[in-house]
Amino acid sequence: MRQFFFFFPDCGGESLLPQKAEDRSIIRDELRAILFSFLPSIHHYSFSISRQQKTLKVYIMEIVTSCVSSISEITFSRLFDAAGRQIGYLLNYNDNIEALRNQAQELKATRDSMQLRIDAAERNREIILPDVKNWISKVDNVSAEAETFLEYEGNVNKMCFKGRCINVRSRYRFSKMAKQKITVITQLQEDGKFQILSQPAPPSSSIIIPTVGFSGIFESRESIKNEIMEALKDDKVSIIGICGMGGVGKTTLVKQVGKQAEEEKLYDSVVFVVVSQTPNIMEIQKAIAYKLDLKSLSDIPESARASSLWQRIKQEKRILMILDDVWGEIALAEIGIPFGKDHGGCKIVLTSRSENVCDEMDCDKTYIVKTLSEQESWELFKEHVGMDVENSIRSSIAKDVVAECNGLPLAIVTIAKTLKNKNEHVWKDVARQLKMSAYTDIPGMQRSVISSLELSIKYLESDDAKSLFFFCSVFSEDFEIPIEVLVTYGVALRWFKNVETMKDVRHRVHAIEKIAREQLNEEEEEEEKEEEEEKVNT
C-alpha cells in the first residue's frame, strides 16, 4: 500500500505540528489505523467479485473519500490547535509577562512565609525535613531565573526606539518562555503545601564542660583521663569507678571523658546522669529516657519502666552510661540498665567519694582522683584570679592562700574568684581566715566548699565514726595522730559499742580511719606507715 507523508509549514520559525517526536508519531499512527481498518473490505470487494467491479469501484471511492475526510478532520484539528497556541503566544504576550511577574511575587511571599516557620522550628532545635529544604532550594533557583528573565525582557523591549517598535520574534519567544515559567511556578506552589516542616531533634549531649576548668590541663588529670579512655576501649571492662573526695574534680574529669568519647565516636550514645546521695529511680530513668528519645516511658506503668528502658538501651549497639555522684550501691537492673553479659556494648562509668562504693558496684577498674600538686594548685589559682599575681606585690599572700587550700580544686577556684579585682586588705583578710579555719566570712565558701565537705562528714553513717572524725580536728594542723591515741581516747570516752577487747577496738579504729582517709583522699603510704606502727604496738 502507498505510504503517506504529511508536511506542515512553519510559522515564525516554529512548526505547526507538535515539536515532540512522540506527539507526531501519535498522529501518524492514528491515520494509519483508519486506513488499514478498511483494507480487508477493499481487497475482498475488488478482487473476489468480478461482475460488480464498477459498483465496487464506486464503493471504494466512497470509502477512500470517507478516510480522507476523517484524516483531514483530525489533521486540521491538530494543525489549528497548534497554530492557535503559537499565535496565542503573540496575542497574549503582555498578559503572560504580567502573569509571570505576579506569580513570581506570590512565590516569593510563600517562600518568605515558609522561612518564618522554618526559623521558628530551628529556634526550637527541630530538624527541617529534606523535602522542605529541597523545595526552598528550587524556589530560590526559579525565583532568580524569573527575576533575570523579566529584567532581560524589559531591557530588550526598550532597545528598539525606546520600546515603540515590535519585534515579533522576540515577543513570541519571551511570551512562550513566560508561559513555561508560570507552569513551573504553579507546580512549586502546589508542592509547597507542607503539613509538617520539621521533626524534633534528638536530645543534645547531656555533657556540658565549662570553657575554663582545671581537669585536663594538668598532668595528674590528663594521665588518669588517658587511662580511663583506654579502659573504655577494653571489651573486658564493663564498669569503671572514679573516686575521690568532694570537690577534687571527679565530675569535671568524667565529663571530659564523656565528651572525648563522643568526639572520637567510640559510642553511639553517651548518657550523663546525676545519681546524688538520695537517688530517685524514676528521675534517673526519665533522664536516661530523655537522652535516648524514649518518649513513651512516662506513659508506661512504674513497674514496667525498667523493662522498657532495658529494651531501649539494648537497641544501642554501643552506649556509655555515666553515673555521677554515687553514694551507695545501686541496683542497675532496677533502673533498667543492662551491662556485661546482658549487653556487652554498654559501658558504665561512675563517680563516688568512696572507694567502697566502687567495690560494692563491682567496678572492673577503679581510679582515684587525688588533690592537685603544689605547682598545679598555683597554676589553677593564677588562671582564675584574673591578674599577673606572680609578679605582683601580693604574690606572697597568694601563695599562702593557695597553700591553705591543700590542693582542693573547688576551694582554689572559689577563693580565686573571691579575690578577683579585690584590694590588698581583702586578700590579707582571706588569708587570715583560712589560717584560722574561719571560712564563714569568705564569699562562696559556705555554699560550695564547706557544704561539699559537710556531705562527706554526714556520709559517716555511725556515731562512733563521726566522734572519731571530730576528735581528730582537735589536734593541730599536720599533726600525725598515732592509732594508739585514738584507741585510748575511744575506750575512755566510750565511743565504740559492741566491742569486747582492745584488739576489737583497734580493728574498729582502723576501719573508721580507712573511711576517713577515703573522704579526705589521703596518700596510701600514710596508711602503710600506720599499719607498721600497729604491728609494733601489737
Side-chain angles (χ1 to χ4, degrees), residues 165-445:
C165 68
I166 298 177
N167 187 327
V168 176
R169 188 178 183 85
S170 295
R171 289 171 69 89
Y172 167 81
R173 181 164 56 89
F174 284 135
S175 181
K176 183 176 181 180
M177 291 178 66
K179 193 70 175 178
Q180 292 172 345
K181 292 183 182 299
I182 289 172
T183 302
V184 173
I185 292 175
T186 301
Q187 186 61 47
L188 279 175
Q189 290 279 29
E190 189 66 26
D191 294 341
K193 295 178 181 180
F194 296 102
Q195 297 296 325
I196 301 175
L197 299 183
S198 60
Q199 64 181 12
S204 59
S205 174
S206 54
I207 302 174
I208 301 175
I209 302 177
T211 304
V212 179
F214 51 85
S215 185
I217 61 174
F218 301 123
E219 184 179 353
S220 62
R221 298 301 188 267
E222 193 68 28
S223 60
I224 295 177
K225 187 180 75 171
N226 291 337
E227 290 181 24
I228 296 172
M229 295 304 300
E230 288 301 317
L232 289 178
K233 300 174 185 178
D234 189 348
D235 293 335
K236 296 179 181 179
V237 177
S238 293
I239 305 179
I240 299 171
I242 302 174
C243 63
M245 67 180 296
V248 80
K250 302 182 298 297
T251 298
T252 302
L253 176 60
V254 79
K255 282 184 176 182
Q256 287 203 343
V257 168
K259 200 69 176 177
Q260 185 171 334
E262 281 185 337
E263 293 171 354
E264 295 182 3
K265 301 187 183 302
L266 296 179
Y267 296 90
D268 302 319
S269 298
V270 178
V271 180
F272 181 89
V273 181
V274 178
V275 178
S276 77
Q277 188 176 10
T278 55
N280 186 319
I281 299 299
M282 291 183 62
E283 289 300 319
I284 295 174
Q285 290 173 333
K286 286 170 59 177
I288 298 174
Y290 172 77
K291 174 59 183 174
L292 299 179
D293 201 24
L294 181 60
K295 298 178 181 179
S296 61
L297 189 69
S298 57
D299 300 327
I300 299 175
E302 184 178 346
S303 59
R305 289 185 178 182
S307 176
S308 178
L309 193 59
W310 181 285
Q311 295 301 324
R312 176 62 185 88
I313 292 175
K314 291 192 72 172
Q315 292 177 3
E316 298 289 325
K317 186 176 180 180
R318 295 188 64 81
I319 181 172
L320 175 61
M321 306 289 300
I322 300 177
L323 307 179
D324 188 39
D325 198 21
V326 180
W327 286 76
E329 183 181 5
I330 54 176
L332 298 177
E334 291 182 6
I335 298 174
I337 302 177
F339 68 97
K341 294 181 179 179
D342 294 315
H343 188 3
C346 181
K347 287 286 180 72
I348 299 171
V349 176
L350 61 89
T351 69
S352 178
R353 300 190 182 195
S354 172
E355 190 176 355
N356 283 342
V357 173
C358 296
D359 294 337
E360 292 172 356
M361 293 295 296
D362 292 326
C363 292
D364 299 303
K365 289 192 176 183
T366 301
Y367 300 92
I368 300 176
V369 182
K370 300 185 181 298
T371 53
L372 299 176
S373 66
E374 186 176 327
Q375 182 59 34
E376 290 174 338
S377 300
W378 179 241
E379 294 296 329
L380 180 61
F381 181 84
K382 289 192 300 181
E383 181 181 348
H384 287 273
V385 79
M387 62 178 290
D388 185 11
V389 66
E390 195 158 15
N391 297 317
S392 71
I393 58 174
R394 303 179 189 177
S395 176
S396 60
I397 304 174
K399 289 182 178 179
D400 290 340
V401 168
V402 173
E404 291 297 328
C405 293
N406 292 316
L408 187 64
L410 182 60
I412 295 171
V413 172
T414 301
I415 293 176
K417 290 181 177 180
T418 299
L419 296 177
K420 188 174 183 178
N421 299 324
K422 300 297 190 301
N423 58 39
E424 187 176 354
H425 298 294
V426 175
W427 281 59
K428 289 182 177 180
D429 183 58
V430 168
R432 178 189 60 80
Q433 291 187 60
L434 288 172
K435 288 182 179 180
M436 297 178 61
S437 300
Y439 310 117
T440 55
D441 294 332
I442 301 177
M445 286 292 286

Side-chain angles (χ1 to χ4, degrees), residues 45-145:
Y45 286 102
S46 297
F47 300 100
S48 299
I49 310 175
S50 57
R51 294 181 179 180
Q52 301 178 3
Q53 289 183 354
K54 190 173 182 179
T55 305
L56 288 175
K57 288 181 180 179
V58 174
Y59 183 61
I60 291 171
M61 289 302 297
E62 291 178 354
I63 294 175
V64 172
T65 301
S66 176
C67 291
V68 172
S69 176
S70 299
I71 294 170
S72 299
E73 182 180 351
I74 294 173
T75 302
F76 284 112
S77 176
R78 296 294 180 101
L79 288 174
F80 286 135
D81 288 344
R85 284 196 300 272
Q86 309 303 324
I87 296 172
Y89 291 139
L90 292 172
L91 298 178
N92 299 318
Y93 168 75
N94 290 328
D95 291 340
N96 288 342
I97 296 298
E98 187 62 26
L100 174 61
R101 184 174 287 106
N102 294 335
Q103 289 281 357
Q105 291 175 354
E106 291 180 8
L107 182 64
K108 183 179 183 302
T110 303
R111 191 248 189 252
D112 292 343
S113 299
M114 184 81 71
Q115 189 62 51
L116 291 175
R117 295 171 61 189
I118 290 174
D119 293 342
E122 288 179 338
R123 285 194 295 271
N124 289 328
R125 290 190 61 256
E126 295 182 0
I127 297 176
I128 307 304
L129 297 177
D131 290 347
V132 177
K133 290 182 177 180
N134 291 338
W135 185 86
I136 290 290
S137 178
K138 289 180 181 178
V139 168
D140 290 342
N141 292 335
V142 170
S143 296
E145 291 175 2

